[in-house]
């Protein structure tokens, strides 16, 4: 079996937050309580997009202890392959959908004396749940949140109203920027830093913290990877004895699933390692996009993460 | 069915006994006629009615006696139960999991009544009826993990998950097969497994860790492990080796049938929702050789497994010295007939001993 356990839910509320972001609320169809979860967890939402099954991960942003409903926020990506467009354009209140049990690849380190959150754009969502979790136990936290503009600052008002002392907002269009070196320098011993946002921001925070001598274990990050479109390619699946085509707008994992191959997965975002697949042979170029394999493994040509990575070239043979 | 709890001991006079029911449902750990370490994990979603797999936390006739034994061990050595400060939330997770499972799976024995954060827990066999505030430690006589594991059979290791690694940061360990929580506390998955022979070379722990890191809420897993114990001792800890190690030398051809026990651990794995920690319940089942030999299939198979077991494993499991005596005894129950695949005794179909 692939993926986490499933839950049948109903969409009970759709709230536009700003021009790009919309919030969705889910409750269980059978009326039962949803499982509790830990701040930082995501759920994988299944979408039936005109015959194509899309499974996209979204961070749970609601209070982890509120079992009556879950909320997620979806940022519209006009250039992506459609998962977010589907949520924005096709989902209406009352729809029944399937989501996965909560899965956490970005959990709080509960040993921390202080949690320092750095968010960029829609990367705010996991922190909303983590803040609710920490507030319950009087946890020590601080948030630095960069948004493009006031108009696009999702949940800025709620945060500054409820937590004026902990919340710090930076607007790109007003040339406000996090002074990271100073910020990191002023932290008490036992602080953990968490970053969620665009790739550039994650790399910047990780590098700055490492350069400043922060222990690796105290730096946590989560990037939302969605599979990117790319040139179609052909793959031979040695174990299943099949040759399949991966289309421009589908991932290698989705193509395998379409062909009835039971390929393992969990996050579908290049983070969990579950879909790791052994390469038997190839002639061409890998386009690795995951966070799971390290640089050496990427260079080795021996492994690929089919949920987000692609291939360009003549032949690719996988052990699947 | 209602369970008749035994009045019995796991020390001194060793009055521990298995009823016919308990023998029949004993989790015999060998699915074929040989044994080697492997990544033998499967989903934990029930099993045949009456089997130890059926319920999420199995309760059997030894429940009350085991809980008494645990209390004695803790009296003498409080360090058998430890929880690092950041593991309290995981302790509440575990308390909730066990209370939910037991009250749903054994409604005639356990009740959980929730009204917001005010919870009432009724444990009829142990005569407990407590009301407390969920997530408020001051309303319980012990920390949440200790409170609930004093009422649940088996050991519990509670692992924090950080940086793609599991850390043994809490546990209730009083019925262990010769390892120590006080020694292992704070260690990671590879560190605490360091003493195990052969498995590292076979890459078993690397694959097992990957599997464990990916265990998700709502999808628990399980595996069986086994060793040998002379006398029905639950507490075979390194701390008390001076008391029980010597008993291995008291085995004789006359007493081996009732003194030598196969010790099987049903190990399960659950993701804990609020803390994202992992709990590893290790439930110990003991069955002596003579009771096991009442199942012809198990008699044939146990002989073959022990005969062909690599010496490294027999040494690590601590029975290499007694192995020849075991084989002398067990060979009487092996007539060379084939055995059916799987762990179940297959009493109806397996032929009686042909000797
Ligand atoms: C997180 C859960 C686990 C915990 C807390 C745990 C703990 C332990 C401990 C404390 C020991 C004794 C080591 C010693 O001699 O000091 C042990 C032995 C062992 N463990 Fe684990 N373990 C876990 C999961 C696993 C898994 C998933 C496997 C899968 C293959 C495994 C395989 C073994 C084996 C083969 C031994 C040797 C047992 C024997 O021969 O009696 N463990 N484990
Ligand atoms: S499914 Fe998680 S890395 Fe591919």
């Amino acid at each position: 079996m692939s993926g986490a356990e499933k839950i049948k839910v109903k969409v009970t509320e759709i709230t536009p937050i700003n021009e790009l972001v919309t919030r969705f609320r889910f409750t269980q169809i059978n009326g039962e309580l949803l499982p509790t979860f830990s701040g930082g967890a995501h759920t994988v939402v299944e979408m039936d997009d005109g015959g194509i099954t899309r499974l996209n991960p979204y961070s749970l942003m609601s209070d982890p202890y509120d079992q009556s409903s879950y909320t997620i926020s979806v940022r519209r990506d006009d250039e992506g392959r459609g998962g977010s467009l589907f949520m924005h354009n096709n989902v209406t209140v009352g729809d029944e959908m399937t989501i996965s049990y909560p899965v956490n690849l970005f959990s709080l380190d509960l040993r921390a004396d202080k949690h320092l959150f750095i968010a960029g754009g829609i990367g705010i969502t996991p922190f909303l749940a983590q803040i609710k979790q920490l507030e319950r136990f009087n946890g020590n936290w601080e948030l630095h949140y960069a948004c493009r503009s006031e108009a696009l600052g999702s949940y800025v008002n709620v945060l500054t109203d409820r937590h004026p002392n902990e919340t710090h907002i930076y607007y790109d269009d007003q040339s406000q920027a996090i002074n990271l070196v100073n910020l990191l320098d002023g932290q008490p011993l036992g602080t953990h830093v968490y970053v969620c946002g665009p790739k550039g921001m994650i790399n910047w925070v990780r590098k700055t913290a490492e350069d400043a001598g922060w222990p690796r274990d105290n730096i946590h990050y989560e990037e939302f990877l969605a599979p990117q479109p790319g040139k179609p390619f052909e793959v031979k699946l040695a174990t299943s004895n099949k040759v399949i085509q991966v289309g421009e707008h589908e991932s290698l994992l989705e193509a395998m699933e379409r062909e009835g191959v039971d390929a393992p997965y969990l996050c579908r975002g290049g983070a969990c390692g579950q879909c790791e697949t052994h390469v038997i042979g190839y002639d061409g170029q890998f386009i690795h996009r995951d966070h799971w394999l390290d640089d050496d493994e990427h260079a080795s040509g021996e492994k690929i993460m089919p949920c987000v990575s692609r291939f360009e070239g003549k032949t690719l043979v996988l052990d699947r | 069915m209602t369970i008749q709890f035994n009045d019995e001991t796991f020390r001194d006079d060793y009055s521990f006994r298995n009823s016919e029911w308990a023998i029949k449902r004993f989790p015999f750990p060998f699915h074929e006629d040989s044994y080697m370490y492997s990544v033998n994990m499967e989903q934990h979603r029930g099993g045949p009615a009456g089997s130890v797999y059926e319920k999420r936390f199995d309760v059997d006739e030894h429940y009350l006696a085991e809980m008494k034994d645990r209390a004695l061990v803790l009296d003498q050595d409080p360090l058998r139960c430890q929880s690092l400060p950041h593991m309290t939330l995981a302790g509440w997770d575990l308390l909730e999991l066990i209370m939910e499972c037991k009250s749903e799976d054994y409604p005639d024995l356990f009740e959980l009544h929730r009204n917001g954060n005010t919870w009432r827990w009724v444990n009829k066999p142990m005569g407990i009826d407590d009301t407390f505030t969920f997530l408020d430690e001051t309303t319980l006589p012990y920390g949440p993990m200790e409170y609930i594991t004093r009422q649940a059979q088996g050991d519990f290791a509670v692992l924090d998950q950080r940086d793609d690694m599991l850390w043994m940061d809490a546990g209730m360990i009083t019925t262990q097969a010769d390892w120590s929580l006080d020694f292992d506390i704070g260690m990671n998955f590879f560190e605490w497994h360091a003493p195990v022979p052969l498995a590292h070379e076979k890459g078993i722990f690397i694959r097992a860790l990957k599997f464990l890191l990916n265990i998700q809420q709502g999808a628990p897993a399980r595996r069986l492990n086994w060793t040998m114990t002379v006398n029905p001792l639950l507490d075979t800890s390194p701390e008390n080796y001076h008391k029980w190690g010597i008993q291995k030398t008291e085995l004789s051809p006359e007493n081996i049938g009732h003194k030598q026990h196969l010790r099987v651990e049903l190990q399960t794995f659950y993701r804990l929702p609020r803390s994202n920690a992992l709990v590893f319940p290790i439930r110990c089942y003991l069955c002596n050789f003579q009771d096991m030999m009442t199942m012809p299939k198990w008699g044939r198979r146990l002989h073959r497994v022990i005969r062909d077991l690599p010496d490294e494993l027999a040494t690590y499991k601590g029975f290499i010295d007694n192995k020849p005596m075991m084989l002398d005894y067990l060979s009487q129950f092996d007539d060379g007939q084939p055995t059916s695949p799987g762990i179940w005794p297959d009493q109806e179909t397996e032929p009686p001993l042909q000797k």
Side-chain angles (χ1 to χ4, degrees):
Chain A
M1 204 212 57
S2 302
E5 290 293 288
K6 311 272 194 257
I7 312 174
K8 295 253 182 249
V9 294
K10 190 155 79 187
V11 180
T12 55
E13 188 185 275
I14 299 180
T15 315
I17 300 300
N18 53 44
E19 199 189 311
L20 289 180
V21 175
T22 299
R23 183 174 69 215
F24 297 83
R25 184 178 297 279
F26 302 120
T27 58
Q28 275 218 74
I29 288 181
N30 62 14
E32 283 177 20
L33 293 178
L34 290 157
T36 48
F37 60 96
S38 47
H42 69 258
T43 179
V44 173
V45 178
E46 290 190 20
M47 303 165 219
D48 180 10
D49 186 0
I52 302 173
T53 305
R54 301 202 184 278
L55 299 128
N56 282 20
Y58 296 103
S59 291
L60 293 165
M61 56 174 279
S62 41
D63 183 348
Y65 291 62
D66 177 3
Q67 296 177 256
S68 63
S69 66
Y70 287 163
T71 54
I72 61 167
S73 281
V74 180
R75 181 184 187 281
R76 201 178 71 228
D77 178 1
D78 294 319
E79 273 132 55
R81 303 162 323 125
S84 72
L85 287 176
F86 179 87
M87 290 299 291
H88 276 253
N89 300 338
N90 300 42
V91 174
T92 54
V93 170
D95 283 3
E96 298 193 346
M97 299 186 82
T98 301
I99 66 174
S100 76
Y101 257 66
V103 172
N104 201 340
L105 303 173
F106 189 50
S107 58
L108 293 170
D109 190 324
L110 296 175
R111 297 169 310 164
D113 296 318
K114 177 177 173 185
H115 305 269
L116 178 66
F117 299 139
I118 299 181
I122 193 65
I124 189 66
T125 49
F127 295 131
L128 295 173
Q130 291 181 330
I131 288 169
K132 288 185 185 109
Q133 176 175 339
L134 287 174
E135 281 294 296
R136 190 171 296 261
F137 299 101
N138 297 317
N140 183 8
W141 62 274
E142 189 178 304
L143 169 70
H144 295 262
Y145 175 20
C147 324
R148 265 206 255 163
S149 64
E150 278 186 45
L152 290 176
S154 313
Y155 308 110
V156 163
N157 293 342
V158 195
L159 285 162
T160 47
D161 281 356
R162 277 195 212 147
H163 314 290
N165 298 325
E166 289 85 0
T167 306
H168 307 263
I169 307 289
Y170 305 79
Y171 294 117
D172 294 349
D173 67 347
Q174 299 175 28
S175 304
Q176 298 169 339
I178 303 174
N179 185 338
L180 190 59
V181 174
N182 275 3
L183 180 63
L184 293 175
D185 197 33
Q187 296 306 318
L189 211 69
T191 302
H192 282 242
V193 60
Y194 305 77
V195 53
C196 183
K199 197 183 187 76
M201 178 181 225
I202 293 173
N203 293 345
W204 172 59
V205 173
R206 287 177 64 195
K207 177 149 193 326
T208 313
E210 276 174 34
D211 289 351
W214 281 55
R216 260 227 156 98
D217 293 357
N218 290 31
I219 310 170
H220 312 266
Y221 58 95
E222 176 159 77
E223 186 196 352
F224 287 86
L225 281 183
Q228 294 296 314
K231 286 191 200 142
F233 59 101
E234 187 178 274
V235 189
K236 181 160 191 250
L237 303 175
T239 314
S240 332
N241 198 18
K242 279 188 176 156
V243 177
I244 68 167
Q245 310 295 327
V246 182
E248 181 183 350
H249 290 287
E250 65 182 349
S251 67
L252 171 53
L253 177 62
E254 288 166 342
M256 290 196 278
E257 289 170 341
R258 170 171 51 73
E259 292 295 325
V261 176
D262 185 24
Y265 74 85
L266 198 56
C267 70
R268 304 181 80 91
C272 72
Q274 193 71 2
C275 68
E276 185 178 302
T277 303
H278 185 66
V279 175
I280 296 175
Y282 72 105
D283 176 4
Q285 199 77 28
F286 289 96
I287 303 169
H288 291 296
R289 298 190 55 253
D290 61 279
H291 293 301
W292 177 255
L293 303 173
D294 60 28
D295 292 348
D296 290 346
E297 287 171 313
H298 281 157
S300 73
E302 285 171 6
K303 285 171 182 171
I304 184 168
M305 310 303 288
C307 63
V308 289
S309 298
R310 303 183 72 88
F311 179 79
E312 279 178 9
K314 270 214 222 106
T315 49
L316 175 62
V317 188
L318 298 180
D319 182 14
R320 180 68 74 208
Chain B
M1 65 166 281
T2 46
I3 304 166
Q4 286 293 327
F5 298 108
N6 300 349
D7 183 9
E8 59 188 4
T9 56
F10 298 89
R11 53 182 71 215
D12 307 324
D13 63 344
Y14 297 116
S15 59
F16 165 88
R17 290 290 173 276
N18 278 313
S19 68
E20 237 174 85
W21 172 70
I23 297 169
K24 223 169 118 176
R25 72 198 296 274
F26 179 71
F28 187 76
F30 307 111
H31 63 91
E32 56 187 11
D33 286 354
S34 63
Y35 178 80
M36 189 51 205
Y37 291 146
S38 64
V39 189
N40 55 333
M41 284 180 281
E42 59 177 7
Q43 298 201 324
H44 183 41
R45 297 211 178 170
S51 75
V52 302
Y53 290 151
E54 186 187 6
K55 312 284 201 223
R56 289 166 287 183
F57 293 90
D58 183 47
V59 176
D60 68 8
E61 62 192 29
H62 309 297
Y63 179 47
L64 291 179
E66 287 191 28
M67 292 302 96
K68 259 189 218 151
D69 198 73
R70 163 156 295 160
L72 283 174
V73 174
L74 288 169
D75 268 354
Q76 289 158 14
D77 185 0
L79 291 179
R80 300 299 189 85
C81 177
Q82 300 190 33
S83 175
L84 298 182
H86 62 281
M87 298 303 282
T88 306
L89 186 59
W92 285 109
D93 269 329
L94 180 60
L95 174 142
E96 179 178 35
L97 177 72
I98 294 178
M99 287 186 178
E100 272 181 6
C101 293
K102 284 197 164 180
S103 59
E104 285 168 22
D105 292 351
Y106 299 94
D108 50 334
L109 302 180
F110 305 96
E111 291 170 19
L112 177 63
H113 306 279
R114 285 186 271 202
N115 181 2
N117 275 346
T118 305
W119 292 21
R120 177 168 163 234
W121 167 246
V122 184
N123 176 339
K124 290 186 195 162
M126 291 181 75
I128 292 171
D129 186 339
D130 283 341
T131 299
F132 61 95
T133 308
F134 187 65
L135 298 177
D136 180 354
E137 271 191 274
T138 61
T139 61
L140 283 176
Y142 309 99
M145 177 189 75
E146 177 165 1
Y147 176 78
I148 196 60
T149 56
R150 278 176 177 266
Q151 302 178 44
Q153 286 167 276
D155 282 347
F156 293 83
V158 188
L159 302 315
D160 196 15
Q161 180 160 336
R162 304 188 302 266
D163 312 304
D164 291 323
M165 184 44 81
L166 294 169
W167 305 86
M168 199 177 297
D169 286 350
M172 167 67 90
I173 309 291
T174 67
T175 67
Q176 69 271 51
D178 203 6
W179 65 278
S180 158
L181 175 68
D182 193 40
F183 183 73
D184 285 0
I185 191 100
M187 282 190 184
N188 74 31
F189 188 80
F190 296 124
E191 290 166 348
W192 79 63
H193 277 125
V196 180
L198 302 181
H200 293 271
E201 295 88 313
K202 293 158 96 52
I204 283 176
F205 290 122
I206 292 175
R207 276 181 290 142
L209 176 63
K210 267 199 175 173
F211 182 92
L212 295 179
L213 293 173
N214 277 315
I215 284 185
Q216 297 306 327
Q217 253 175 275
R222 66 181 175 222
R223 67 184 285 267
L224 294 175
N225 188 44
W226 65 277
T227 188
M228 292 285 181
T229 304
V230 175
N231 289 326
L233 268 161
L234 282 179
D235 176 24
T236 50
S237 57
E239 286 89 342
N240 282 331
Y241 189 82
H242 59 284
K243 292 187 197 154
W244 60 268
I246 185 161
Q247 298 180 18
K248 292 198 268 184
T249 63
E250 291 161 11
L251 207 63
S252 70
E254 293 70 43
N255 66 24
I256 185 168
H258 70 268
K259 260 188 182 302
Q260 181 63 59
H261 291 71
L262 181 63
R263 178 189 195 100
V264 177
E265 294 174 350
L266 169 57
Q267 309 179 336
T268 49
F269 309 88
Y270 291 83
R271 176 68 56 201
L272 296 175
R274 292 181 166 82
S275 57
N276 203 39
L278 193 78
V279 65
F280 179 55
I282 312 158
R283 174 62 188 280
C284 169
Y285 295 87
L286 294 163
C287 186
N288 67 23
F289 275 14
Q290 79 195 19
D291 284 348
M292 225 175 336
M293 296 306 114
T294 59
M295 304 292 170
K297 173 176 163 183
W298 292 352
R300 296 180 176 110
R301 181 163 292 170
L302 189 60
H303 173 248
R304 297 168 200 176
V305 168
I306 300 304
R307 183 189 63 203
D308 301 337
L309 193 75
D311 280 351
E312 289 96 326
L313 268 69
T315 306
Y316 173 74
K317 290 174 188 286
F319 67 86
I320 187 86
D321 293 345
N322 285 332
K323 189 173 152 182
M325 201 193 300
M326 285 181 189
L327 287 177
D328 279 348
Y329 176 85
L330 292 171
S331 62
Q332 309 168 66
F333 301 91
D334 186 358
D335 53 14
Q337 295 284 316
T339 53
S340 58
I343 63 172
W344 310 109
D346 298 329
Q347 265 176 300
E348 288 73 31
T349 48
E350 213 70 355
L353 187 66
Q354 314 276 309
K355 267 186 171 175

